[in-house]
Amino acid sequence: MALNKSQAEAASHTTGPMLVLAGPGSGKTLTITERTKFLISRQGIDPSRILVVTFTKAAAAEMRERFCRQMGGKKYPVTFGTFHAVFFQVLKHAYGFHGGNIIREEQRYQFMGETIQRMHLEYEDEKEFIGELLGEISLMKNTGISLEHYYPKACAKEIFEQVFREFDGKMKEKRLIDFDDMLVYCYELFTQREDILSAWQRKFQYILIDEFQDINRLQFDIVRMLALPENNIFAVGDDDQSIYRFRGAKPELMLGFGKAYPDARQVLLDVNYRCAEPVVEASLRLISHNTKRFEKKILPCAGIFPPRQGKVQYFLWESQQEEGKAIIEQILRDCRNGSSYNDCAVLFRTNTQPRLFMSQLMAYNIPFRTRDNIPNLYEHWITKDILTYIRLAQGSPTRKDMLQIMNRPNRYLTRDSLMEGTVDFQEWAGYFYQKKQHWVAERIEQMEADLRVLSRIGPFAAINYIRMGIGYEAYLEEYAKYRKINGSQLVDVLDELQDGVREFHTYGEWFAHMETYTEELKRQQKQQELSAECVSLATFHSAKGLEYANVHILDANEELTPYKKAILDMELEEERRMFYVGITRAKENLYVHSVKKYNGKAVDISRFVGEMQGAGV
């Protein structure tokens, strides 16, 4: 395949540092493999001295295969690998590590579970809490921040420090490392052992890095050491697609490449071969609102290929139900016009957004594939609490159910006050009256009265009463303060649950729906592996690197995209980059959907919609 002018300029680069700005669909993989070929075929570089680094095993494998094809099928000892794979090779030689020293994901969860149990920490959902703690540890390591100077979000600082020390001690005791340790250990090794660093510098004299915008501080520092003294570093990426700050990625490193390497050359791959002209133009209008970026003029493909035909359309719907129905009708319409389900993707900001839409797809019997773990709302611990209240109101109250909710909100009830399998409210209140704790006994009597109220009302009113009348929403806010987490995310679960129950007038209908939905979700998950034809559902994060003929953006609304937690300019710019990644997945048709109400509450259209249309430019 012939290279365009900017691709050819990048691919024929010889020595010294170069930054290649590669926008969506600009042929960056082709450029990297062509440069690798150029170094070997035209410059006579020993292939074993070339290192090509990317962020995923799949990307590294694809790069290796494409390079092999370009070299006529002949194999060359170029190293293609992820940062972790390359750094682990270093550790294998230095410390004798082998595959058995890499901790399995289930072991990490097990170790952390044992740690928080030993510390007797309070949490509602163990798996969720463990995930948050492991994420904090990962971020701390990748940003290179010391434990003393790291301030966590998942729990109090002193608790986090104790958790980390216990967890890290267990890892060292078992001589296990995780992927983040590979970076930390490699950095320490290179800074402490000049002889080892020198040997690897001689080994890898040419370094090509894909997706450079996703690099973190630790990776960058290691690569800088490795590239010395020639600094033959070829960095390819798009600062406008840097969306992994939560993992430690720093777009500032790419933006500051010229300061790190003042003699670096810079090339812009300025043709988007993927997207139709209206999509390219809308995406450039959007991303131009970011201030911390390289200025780029990107052109839709023309001349080399016939231009793609396509359009960008915007919609505003009364409700999520109406939005989902319209998207399904458009998908079916596109399929009647020659598209397949595989050509269609529905993208969104958070992994909780598509739950209602998934139930609509199930109702239409449309197969779909999720690229993220979409949590089942009905298995959330908050939903389980609500259902427990309803179950207690509808039948004979059991000790097991009562123990789950008796202090949600806190009524200061003790487990040892409730010993019988079936709860007798009169006896239970009497226990506290005898102890002269009248105020506790009165709370039991109030709870019994609340359950009588619940037994007489329908599902929607019941959830509202539990939230406001019983005080469950206030309990969630208190719990969020204790855990130092965002309480609005917990309230969102209540909003979604309550809004979704509006269409069910009886508990029988609602419970039947929950059971059907859960079973259908399991069936769909199994079906995903078998079905060749599926609509793709993905967050902006997991859609990165993919492309589809027809893309629908779900819920383009304020508080969703940009997400409500994004307050600082830096955070808002990352939200805009996420949206940019989402819309540039569309090869032909882009459909941007907003709603007037989300989970029953009025919401505004996302500012990004106006920016795409040219407002305020």
Side-chain angles (χ1 to χ4, degrees):
M1 180 180 170
L3 303 182
N4 66 33
K5 185 182 175 184
S6 56
Q7 289 171 336
E9 183 184 348
S12 59
H13 176 64
T14 53
T15 57
M18 173 174 265
L19 179 64
V20 181
L21 301 176
S26 61
K28 66 183 177 62
T29 303
L30 173 68
T31 305
I32 291 170
T33 51
E34 280 291 339
R35 189 202 178 218
T36 309
K37 178 182 176 180
F38 175 84
L39 289 172
I40 297 166
S41 305
R42 303 285 291 276
Q43 298 294 302
I45 305 300
D46 180 348
S48 67
R49 298 284 183 263
I50 301 172
L51 169 64
V52 182
V53 190
T54 188
F55 279 81
T56 67
K57 282 173 68 176
E62 182 194 342
M63 198 96 65
R64 186 185 297 110
E65 286 170 22
R66 190 179 292 200
F67 170 71
C68 188
R69 286 198 303 271
Q70 285 169 232
M71 300 302 284
K74 187 178 176 184
K75 294 195 174 178
Y76 289 81
V78 175
T79 300
F80 290 90
T82 63
F83 278 108
H84 295 112
V86 173
F87 296 159
F88 187 61
Q89 283 296 114
V90 174
L91 300 179
K92 278 172 74 174
H93 284 85
Y95 300 130
F97 280 135
H98 52 80
N101 295 113
I102 303 173
I103 191 168
R104 300 188 311 277
E105 192 63 12
E106 60 268 27
Q107 278 181 294
R108 286 178 78 229
Y109 269 77
Q110 181 192 333
F111 284 4
M112 184 56 78
E114 291 167 356
T115 299
I116 62 176
Q117 282 166 16
R118 277 196 305 275
M119 292 175 63
H120 304 291
L121 299 180
E122 286 186 37
Y123 45 83
E124 295 299 341
D125 187 305
E126 182 180 66
K127 189 176 178 184
E128 184 180 81
F129 187 43
I130 289 172
E132 288 172 356
L133 289 170
L134 290 174
E136 295 270 16
I137 290 172
S138 178
L139 184 61
M140 183 185 77
K141 289 177 180 177
N142 280 288
T143 49
I145 300 173
S146 66
L147 181 61
E148 293 71 30
H149 294 107
Y150 185 78
Y151 288 86
K153 295 177 182 174
C155 59
K157 180 171 168 55
E158 58 274 15
I159 291 174
F160 179 75
E161 288 181 3
Q162 189 180 343
V163 166
F164 176 78
R165 290 192 178 101
E166 286 211 24
F167 178 76
D168 194 52
K170 181 91 169 175
M171 293 273 285
K172 286 185 167 68
E173 177 194 321
K174 301 285 186 183
R175 202 166 187 260
L176 292 169
I177 61 171
D178 59 24
F179 290 112
D180 304 316
D181 292 327
M182 293 176 193
L183 308 187
V184 174
Y185 288 15
C186 196
Y187 176 77
E188 290 172 351
L189 179 69
F190 281 175
T191 52
Q192 294 164 14
R193 292 288 303 274
E194 199 172 311
D195 56 330
I196 292 176
L197 172 60
S198 181
W200 286 100
Q201 286 170 337
R202 289 193 298 274
K203 164 70 175 163
F204 295 129
Q205 293 178 353
Y206 290 83
I207 303 172
L208 296 82
I209 304 173
D210 186 24
E211 303 285 10
F212 190 73
Q213 77 278 352
D214 294 334
I215 203 166
N216 65 41
R217 169 56 67 185
L218 206 52
Q219 290 164 338
F220 186 57
D221 288 344
I222 296 169
V223 166
R224 287 197 73 183
M225 286 189 277
L226 200 54
L228 290 168
E230 290 93 349
N231 290 330
N232 291 326
I233 181 166
F234 187 80
V236 183
D238 182 7
D239 55 303
D240 290 331
Q241 294 187 73
S242 179
I243 60 173
Y244 294 111
R245 191 179 288 275
F246 69 96
R247 289 187 197 158
K250 294 181 77 69
E252 300 90 331
L253 296 171
M254 186 170 184
L255 292 168
F257 192 82
K259 287 184 180 176
Y261 297 101
D263 58 336
R265 291 175 60 199
Q266 183 173 306
V267 176
L268 168 64
L269 304 187
D270 57 357
V271 180
N272 181 332
Y273 292 101
R274 176 191 299 148
C275 306
E277 186 172 353
V279 178
V280 174
E281 291 174 349
S283 70
L284 291 175
R285 284 194 292 267
L286 169 81
I287 204 63
S288 68
H289 286 262
N290 273 4
T291 56
K292 293 182 173 62
R293 63 185 290 266
F294 290 108
E295 284 295 324
K296 308 176 192 72
K297 185 176 181 182
I298 306 291
L299 304 169
C301 67
I304 300 174
F305 297 106
R308 288 189 189 279
Q309 299 301 310
K311 58 186 179 295
V312 179
Q313 291 183 282
Y314 305 91
F315 301 93
L316 177 61
W317 307 106
E318 289 292 331
S319 65
Q320 292 159 271
Q321 287 85 352
E322 195 178 298
E323 174 191 42
K325 185 170 180 288
I327 292 174
I328 288 170
E329 286 172 354
Q330 184 62 56
I331 288 172
L332 294 174
R333 203 155 40 241
D334 286 335
C335 287
R336 285 195 298 271
N337 292 332
S339 292
S340 73
Y341 287 144
N342 286 342
D343 294 323
C344 301
V346 180
L347 309 181
F348 33 85
R349 170 62 179 87
T350 73
N351 68 341
T352 59
Q353 278 173 256
R355 289 192 283 221
L356 172 63
F357 181 63
M358 284 162 58
S359 68
Q360 290 175 296
L361 286 171
M362 292 174 193
Y364 277 82
N365 204 25
I366 294 176
F368 60 88
R369 181 179 287 111
T370 57
R371 298 191 63 86
D372 307 82
N373 173 35
I374 309 295
N376 185 348
L377 175 67
Y378 304 125
E379 291 176 354
H380 196 287
W381 62 267
I382 290 174
T383 302
K384 288 179 179 176
D385 282 354
I386 298 296
L387 292 175
T388 299
Y389 265 111
I390 290 169
R391 197 161 51 244
L392 286 166
Q394 288 193 320
S396 56
T398 65
R399 181 177 187 268
K400 181 185 174 186
D401 281 345
M402 191 58 72
L403 289 176
Q404 182 175 329
I405 56 87
M406 67 183 188
N407 286 314
R408 300 178 185 183
N410 197 356
R411 300 178 177 92
Y412 301 93
L413 299 169
T414 55
R415 294 176 71 90
D416 58 5
S417 69
L418 192 61
M419 301 308 294
E420 299 298 321
T422 301
V423 179
D424 183 312
F425 284 99
Q426 202 169 353
E427 283 185 21
W428 197 13
Y431 170 88
F432 287 101
Y433 277 125
Q434 285 179 349
K435 295 183 72 173
K436 308 296 185 190
Q437 293 178 327
H438 291 210
W439 59 281
V440 180
E442 286 165 7
R443 293 189 177 199
I444 292 171
E445 290 167 350
Q446 179 60 50
M447 178 163 48
E448 185 180 19
D450 287 334
L451 293 176
R452 278 199 299 272
V453 172
L454 287 178
S455 70
R456 296 193 295 266
I457 57 182
F460 183 86
I463 295 175
N464 200 54
Y465 188 80
I466 294 166
R467 292 177 72 161
M468 305 303 178
I470 292 177
Y472 186 81
E473 189 168 322
Y475 154 73
L476 288 182
E477 288 164 2
E478 284 298 314
Y479 172 72
K481 279 183 195 170
Y482 164 75
R483 279 280 317 280
K484 292 183 166 45
I485 59 176
N486 190 334
S488 68
Q489 289 175 275
L490 301 179
V491 174
D492 283 348
V493 177
L494 283 176
D495 287 342
E496 186 177 355
L497 188 67
Q498 187 169 359
D499 190 54
V501 84
R502 286 177 191 273
E503 60 185 290
F504 303 106
H505 302 295
T506 68
Y507 289 108
E509 291 174 8
W510 187 36
F511 295 158
H513 163 76
M514 280 190 272
E515 189 176 340
T516 303
Y517 177 83
T518 301
E519 288 306 310
E520 185 63 19
L521 201 56
K522 289 175 185 171
R523 190 186 72 78
Q524 280 283 353
Q525 284 164 349
K526 288 180 185 174
Q527 190 68 21
Q528 284 182 32
E529 300 163 15
L530 304 171
S531 181
E533 284 278 311
C534 285
V535 173
S536 290
L537 273 59
T539 59
F540 297 150
H541 282 111
S542 61
K544 190 166 175 284
L546 303 175
E547 56 184 43
Y548 304 90
N550 307 306
V551 168
H552 294 263
I553 303 294
L554 191 72
D555 308 326
N557 288 92
E558 290 290 307
E559 301 208 337
L560 290 164
T561 180
Y563 193 54
K564 58 188 165 191
K565 287 203 291 185
I567 307 227
L568 304 174
D569 288 345
M570 171 181 72
E571 295 166 336
L572 286 166
E573 292 215 347
E574 177 137 331
E575 291 289 320
R576 190 174 283 109
R577 291 195 295 270
M578 275 185 248
F579 201 79
Y580 177 77
V581 165
I583 64 178
T584 54
R585 300 311 94 199
K587 293 196 287 185
E588 296 171 12
N589 301 309
L590 174 64
Y591 307 100
V592 181
H593 303 269
S594 305
V595 291
K596 292 182 180 178
K597 282 191 172 182
Y598 186 80
N599 288 339
K601 293 183 176 178
V603 283
D604 294 325
I605 298 173
S606 171
R607 69 193 74 179
F608 299 154
V609 173
E611 291 171 3
M612 286 175 69
Q613 294 170 313
V617 174

